Amino acid sequence: MQLDAGPVSRLFFGRDDAETDVRDGLLKGPVFRPTYAYREALSGRKSLIIGRKGSGKSAICRQLATPEGHPGASVLIAPDDAAGDEIRRFALQGLTPDTAKSLIWRYLFAVHAARHLTGHARAAHGRRLPASVRAVRSFLEANGESDDARLYERLRRGIGRLQSADLSLKAFGFEAALGIGGASEGAEATRQLDVLEAGVQAGFADLGCARLHPPLLLLVDQLEQVWTVEPESHALVTGLLLAAKHVMSFYDNAVRTALFIRADIYDTLNFGDGDKFHSDEIRISWTREALEDLALHRARASLGAPLTRQELWEDLFPVSVEGEPTSAYVLRRSLPRPRDTIQFLNVCRDVADEAGNFTITERDVLAATARFSSWKLQDLAKEYLISHPFLRSLFVLFENAGYVVMRAALEDRFEACRQSLHLVFSDYTESLTTQGVIDVLYGVGFIGVKRGNDTVYAGGSAMPPLPDEDEFHVHPCFRPALNCRGAMELPAYLPGRARNPVVGHSSLAAAISAADVGLTVNRNVRLLNEVTAAGERLLRQLTRSGLPDNMREEVYVEIARVVAVAEEVRSEQPDGGRRDVPDHVLAAAVYLDALATRLAAHGFRDRTVTRGLEDESRALIRSLGGSRGGGGGGGSDSG
């Protein structure tokens, strides 16, 4: 592709939400990628499409609602606050909340199926209609359901009729048979609904629709708009599941359902028949390759050019960012879902366009990284505000610290604020324990658990953290916003500020200062040799240690720096000696002790490296106190 002037200004990866993207974004064109979850929903093998916010549920739903996405007719049902409130308040005497709410969903599905049946029969089966279809049409007219009413109005009418048992079923010949025997409100409503569904099913059967045509597809999306933690909301969704299961078996494949439910909502449901839905479930997951493919097709659509993968990631974007291929850099720092990828790439484009750049530079991507990370940290708290309202308060446990967190360190941090968290979120004290916090943070994707050589984040079939797993990593997406710059927040090694590095060593520093005049070049060399030897022993220990890989690398670099400074100062000794050598040695000793303290704060109190750092620090302090022996350092590793 020949890049013209200003390709960045035309580059666009789409809207944040599928609803807007279908209307005026990229999904209105041939950009939708038929994923495995889409194909399973289209085939009818899966009817429960479960995924996190931004994972592409609504994109699949909107595609299935189009003639290109599903060859048969479809009805999209997306309840708003008013509709949700009607369902939550619906109850019937003699029925559990789950069962009662399943009846209003069944009524809604039956009416949509009846409306489709009467319109479809005339268009696809000619003018002479079976009596069963004419009966369905009469039912719709008698009950005021022939119009194109809003969902709220349809629900309100249905709820009123089911609660008062006054559905007009004369068209089906059952009017006089109802309302006898002193049946409960729930039993009456169930009998009326059974008559209605049987009438609609007869119409489909008489036309042979299940054999001749693709099924009517009833799509239910955006349940999060009506979701709360109250039991009525749980019953609303559970009732929907029960009703959808009923539809799939009752109408002989003339009518199917597809429910799009956020994972955090679905995973909170707890009802007796829950095990009957596993075969209907499919959880949306995205691989890095699939997200790269999505980005490429969206870039092509916005530019109107046959862009290649290389042109996207090496011409429009920089080849690498901080030494990492740009596509890997971007996808590793966002949660594996389309919305995050789209937002990150769009903000990279925005930063570059604001700067007037011809293409996106590494500097643009780095600036976008900080902005995107801040967005995602805020979005995570909002995403789980209903189920985990305390989530935002947990982020402070990780601010200005390393992204590797050991269980012991997390226990200490949590214990410091446990009481205040329990006071503010008193309804969630069972979750606000160390293990509970780990489970929540892992479940929302904030932290991963180290297993073998990999860090495993939530998603797929991975097990949640076990009680004996003790190493956790903050997801790269959130590290910039939390100021997690490395595996651990290492203390700074400042050899030029050795006379007052840490409270508690001031008297020793003063004694050394007073003894400076008596120091000889040979003693300076010996002291520096001890620093070098201590550092080398510690470096060997590190290679055998159980420290997390990233943390071990960072500690290795810092100890190697201590050794390098000591060797640099020692190389200057032939020039007549330096009076500040004791300060350098003291700085090294204090720094090693600070490293040990920091490792202990990260949960490595009993590790060999921590003890070795403490031992070497004490040995260097002793050598400064005037010892003239060989000064082996007293290290714990002689090898």
Side-chain angles (χ1 to χ4, degrees):
M1 184 191 76
Q2 183 66 37
L3 295 178
D4 58 10
V8 166
S9 63
R10 295 189 292 112
L11 185 64
F12 181 54
F13 292 93
R15 303 293 184 190
D16 292 347
D17 61 287
E19 298 78 17
T20 308
D21 219 14
V22 168
R23 187 175 64 249
D24 60 4
L26 295 181
L27 282 180
K28 65 181 179 181
V31 178
F32 178 80
R33 309 303 296 160
T35 61
Y36 178 69
Y38 164 77
R39 294 193 297 271
E40 289 292 284
L42 177 62
S43 70
R45 287 187 292 269
K46 303 296 181 182
S47 59
L48 291 178
I49 297 85
I50 304 163
R52 285 194 61 172
K53 181 180 180 181
S55 62
K57 300 184 304 300
S58 291
I60 296 174
C61 179
R62 268 39 182 195
Q63 183 68 11
L64 290 172
T66 67
E68 298 80 15
H70 170 62
S74 61
V75 176
L76 175 59
I77 302 170
D80 56 13
D81 288 341
D85 189 54
E86 287 292 329
I87 300 175
R88 280 193 296 268
R89 291 190 291 109
F90 178 64
L92 290 170
Q93 179 190 15
L95 298 181
T96 65
D98 293 354
T99 303
K101 288 171 175 54
S102 75
L103 294 190
I104 189 57
W105 283 112
R106 283 172 55 186
Y107 174 83
L108 184 65
F109 292 157
V111 168
H112 278 300
R115 284 170 50 79
H116 164 74
L117 174 66
T118 56
H120 161 78
R122 181 72 67 184
H125 295 272
R127 299 179 60 84
R128 187 173 183 82
L129 302 179
S132 58
V133 176
R134 295 196 300 271
V136 171
R137 177 175 292 166
S138 297
F139 165 82
L140 292 172
E141 292 172 351
N143 290 276
E145 294 288 12
S146 297
D147 60 342
D148 293 324
R150 293 173 55 240
L151 176 61
Y152 166 74
E153 292 297 332
R154 205 174 297 287
L155 283 169
R156 188 177 59 81
R157 287 199 296 253
I159 286 172
R161 292 191 178 102
L162 288 176
Q163 287 179 327
S164 59
D166 67 350
L167 272 178
S168 176
L169 298 170
K170 186 176 181 179
F172 302 119
F174 283 92
E175 189 81 34
L178 298 174
I180 61 174
S184 69
E185 189 177 65
E188 285 286 4
T190 301
R191 286 200 302 180
Q192 289 190 92
L193 192 55
D194 288 343
V195 170
L196 167 59
E197 290 177 327
V200 176
Q201 193 273 341
F204 280 116
D206 289 346
L207 292 176
C209 289
R211 176 175 51 87
L212 298 173
H213 308 293
L216 168 67
L217 189 55
L218 302 172
L219 306 162
V220 183
D221 191 22
Q222 295 192 343
L223 291 170
E224 62 270 18
Q225 302 296 326
V226 297
W227 174 256
T228 70
V229 294
E230 301 303 320
E232 291 79 7
S233 284
H234 287 254
L236 180 153
V237 179
T238 301
L240 170 62
L241 295 176
L242 295 173
K245 190 80 168 178
H246 173 79
V247 166
M248 296 287 282
S249 62
F250 186 80
Y251 290 103
D252 298 327
N253 205 42
V255 182
R256 288 211 321 258
T257 61
L259 314 182
F260 299 84
I261 306 178
R262 253 177 44 181
D264 58 310
I265 294 176
Y266 188 78
D267 291 340
T268 63
L269 301 178
N270 185 16
F271 61 108
D273 289 334
D275 61 333
K276 297 180 181 180
F277 291 86
H278 293 319
S279 296
D280 301 321
E281 301 172 5
I282 184 167
R283 293 190 179 250
I284 298 176
S285 61
W286 286 84
T287 64
R288 180 170 295 183
E289 292 75 19
L291 290 171
E292 285 185 354
D293 184 65
L294 176 144
L296 179 61
H297 280 80
R298 286 174 172 263
R300 285 173 178 168
S302 67
L303 295 175
L307 193 71
T308 67
R309 188 177 301 273
Q310 180 177 350
E311 287 169 335
L312 174 62
W313 296 114
E314 297 183 14
D315 294 343
L316 285 175
F317 280 85
V319 174
S320 63
V321 179
E322 294 186 335
E324 186 176 9
T326 302
S327 62
Y329 176 93
V330 168
L331 295 175
R332 193 166 68 85
R333 287 164 176 79
S334 55
L335 297 182
R337 52 189 180 183
R339 182 172 299 169
D340 282 36
T341 301
I342 291 168
Q343 288 178 340
F344 200 166
L345 294 175
N346 273 337
V347 73
C348 289
R349 175 264 173 207
D350 293 345
V351 171
D353 196 39
E354 290 169 7
N357 293 337
F358 181 80
T359 59
I360 299 167
T361 67
E362 180 177 9
R363 184 175 181 179
D364 297 330
V365 177
L366 291 173
T369 300
R371 188 184 303 182
F372 175 76
S373 180
S374 179
W375 287 352
K376 292 294 99 180
L377 191 64
Q378 297 175 39
D379 290 346
L380 190 69
K382 294 174 184 176
E383 180 179 350
Y384 290 94
L385 183 61
I386 293 177
S387 54
H388 306 310
F390 51 81
L391 186 59
R392 188 187 302 273
S393 299
L394 298 180
F395 295 158
V396 69
L397 303 179
F398 303 88
E399 289 179 346
N400 304 311
Y403 64 78
V404 176
V405 184
M406 306 305 294
R407 182 182 291 270
L410 186 54
E411 287 176 348
D412 290 344
R413 297 179 195 178
F414 174 72
E415 188 60 29
C417 61
R418 178 183 59 82
Q419 188 172 358
S420 60
L421 285 171
H422 284 191
L423 183 64
V424 176
F425 302 102
S426 56
D427 292 338
Y428 297 87
T429 54
E430 291 185 2
S431 297
L432 290 173
T433 63
T434 301
Q435 185 62 44
V437 165
I438 289 172
D439 290 341
V440 167
L441 293 175
Y442 175 82
V444 303
F446 181 81
I447 61 172
V449 58
K450 189 67 180 293
R451 288 176 179 155
N453 294 324
D454 298 323
T455 303
V456 178
Y457 295 94
S461 58
M463 291 288 294
L466 301 174
D468 61 344
E469 292 179 313
D470 61 359
E471 181 181 338
F472 308 100
H473 291 204
V474 176
H475 193 286
C477 178
F478 309 110
R479 293 173 192 174
L482 295 166
N483 196 33
C484 297
R485 299 186 179 276
M488 63 181 290
E489 69 284 14
L490 294 175
Y493 178 48
L494 302 172
R497 297 171 56 184
R499 290 190 180 273
N500 54 356
V502 169
V503 175
H505 292 289
S506 58
S507 58
L508 178 59
I512 293 170
S513 178
D516 278 352
V517 176
L519 291 175
T520 66
V521 172
N522 288 337
R523 185 174 183 234
N524 283 350
V525 171
R526 181 180 60 77
L527 288 173
L528 294 169
N529 284 343
E530 292 188 1
V531 174
T532 300
E536 290 174 346
R537 283 191 293 271
L538 290 170
L539 292 177
R540 289 195 295 272
Q541 286 181 351
L542 274 175
T543 62
R544 307 191 299 268
S545 74
L547 288 178
D549 294 342
N550 294 339
M551 188 179 293
R552 182 170 61 245
E553 291 170 6
E554 292 183 8
V555 173
Y556 191 100
V557 168
E558 294 305 313
I559 294 177
R561 183 166 175 259
V562 173
V563 173
V565 170
E567 291 177 343
E568 178 183 351
V569 173
R570 185 177 57 191
S571 69
E572 300 172 357
Q573 291 307 303
D575 296 334
R578 288 179 49 166
R579 294 172 57 84
D580 62 349
V581 165
D583 284 348
H584 280 278
V585 178
L586 178 59
V590 172
Y591 184 72
L592 296 180
D593 184 67
L595 275 180
T597 301
R598 192 61 52 88
L599 285 171
H602 277 75
F604 292 98
R605 296 180 180 84
D606 299 325
R607 299 291 179 119
T608 301
V609 172
T610 307
R611 294 197 301 269
L613 286 165
E614 294 171 344
D615 291 345
E616 297 292 358
S617 174
R618 286 194 294 266
L620 290 176
I621 294 293
R622 286 198 300 271
S623 69
L624 283 171
S627 170
R628 296 184 178 274
S636 59
D637 183 350
S638 60

